[in-house]
Amino acid sequence: METRPAPSSFHVDHADIEKSVPAAYKRQRDRKLLLVYIVRHLIAIVFVILLPIYFFVYDMPPEFSVQLLPAINTGLNMPTAAAATGGAAASISPAFNATLHASNRRATERCYHNAEALVSYAGLTVATGRVPEFCVPGKGAGEIRFQASAGDGGVGLPEHLLDRMALERRVGATQLDVEVKLFRRDDGSDRPMWIWCGLRMDDDGTRPPDVAPCTVLGLQNWFSVPAF
């Protein structure tokens, strides 16, 4: 019986294959890998640089400020002496004429609707109102006038707040907060935006009302929030 020789084992020597690859091909492959590495890092660097530029130059958040003027014969009128001494419920019926100043720092028009406003004193709402819908052109500004009042029933305040308000009015430094809630209309997103403005009002009418800058809170508006 004829005996066949055992087949020799097949062994691949990667070192031999590497030696068989031309040096020019290896250099070309290394250059391609280096180019891909450089391009990937350049894209990341450009993205990191351009993203803040986009928000600061093109899509900067809007700026708002507000003026508050007491309506004639109303404003923050104090309750009568009888009410203040317990003869009746101590309440006030304030009414204000307000102007919202809007500055659009974006290149395209911005529009808002369904806006509501409230005026508060020491955390208690003393007047409410609705802001008409409005649009501000790109890189433009606008003024929106609205009214806020306590309504027919007035607003009841505890005695210590009435005393504090009377003292502030005597020195012409009544501290009020104005809050406005807006909804975007131009892009169809209906995204909400909150505006908060703290101001000091001179209720005796001896000087024009101050223009109080506002803090804006909303999506893509974090740059407008003061750091302190």
Side-chain angles (χ1 to χ4, degrees):
M1 183 176 180
E2 183 180 358
T3 303
R4 295 182 179 180
S8 60
S9 60
F10 182 76
H11 175 69
V12 177
D13 193 340
H14 293 281
D16 293 338
I17 295 178
E18 189 70 20
K19 292 178 181 178
S20 65
V21 177
Y25 174 78
K26 292 174 58 179
R27 288 195 297 269
Q28 183 180 7
R29 183 187 61 184
D30 293 341
R31 283 197 297 267
K32 289 181 178 179
L33 292 176
L34 179 61
L35 180 61
V36 171
Y37 176 83
I38 293 175
V39 170
R40 289 175 58 185
H41 281 73
L42 282 177
I43 292 175
I45 293 173
V46 170
F47 179 79
V48 171
I49 294 175
L50 291 184
L51 185 62
I53 294 177
Y54 170 79
F55 282 111
F56 278 106
V57 176
Y58 175 76
D59 199 26
M60 294 185 69
E63 289 183 336
F64 292 94
S65 59
V66 71
Q67 282 179 299
L68 201 62
L69 182 66
I72 298 176
N73 298 326
T74 54
L76 283 173
N77 286 344
M78 301 299 293
T80 62
T85 56
S91 64
I92 59 175
S93 298
F96 304 94
N97 295 317
T99 302
L100 183 66
H101 302 268
S103 175
N104 183 10
R105 299 184 292 173
R106 189 180 181 183
T108 57
E109 183 181 57
R110 277 184 169 173
C111 297
Y112 304 91
H113 67 154
N114 294 336
E116 299 177 349
L118 63 86
V119 181
S120 60
Y121 176 78
L124 297 178
T125 300
V126 296
T128 59
R130 297 193 64 85
V131 182
E133 65 178 60
F134 63 94
C135 294
V136 185
K139 300 297 183 180
E143 292 185 355
I144 305 91
R145 291 179 171 83
F146 63 95
Q147 293 182 335
S149 65
D152 297 334
V155 178
L157 293 179
E159 184 177 354
H160 72 280
L161 286 184
L162 292 174
D163 295 339
R164 171 180 162 183
M165 182 182 293
L167 176 61
E168 291 180 353
R169 291 190 63 191
R170 283 197 295 270
V171 298
T174 307
Q175 301 290 333
L176 296 174
D177 293 327
V178 179
E179 299 176 48
V180 181
K181 185 178 182 180
L182 303 171
F183 292 90
R184 287 283 300 275
R185 181 172 62 84
D186 54 283
D187 60 356
S189 65
D190 218 33
R191 290 198 305 264
M193 179 185 300
W194 292 268
I195 302 171
W196 176 85
C197 323
L199 54 87
R200 187 180 71 176
M201 191 179 66
D202 178 18
D203 197 43
D204 58 10
T206 57
R207 59 186 177 87
D210 294 331
V211 179
C214 303
T215 297
V216 182
L217 299 175
L219 294 176
Q220 297 184 355
N221 291 321
W222 50 86
F223 292 117
S224 66
V225 180
F228 301 98

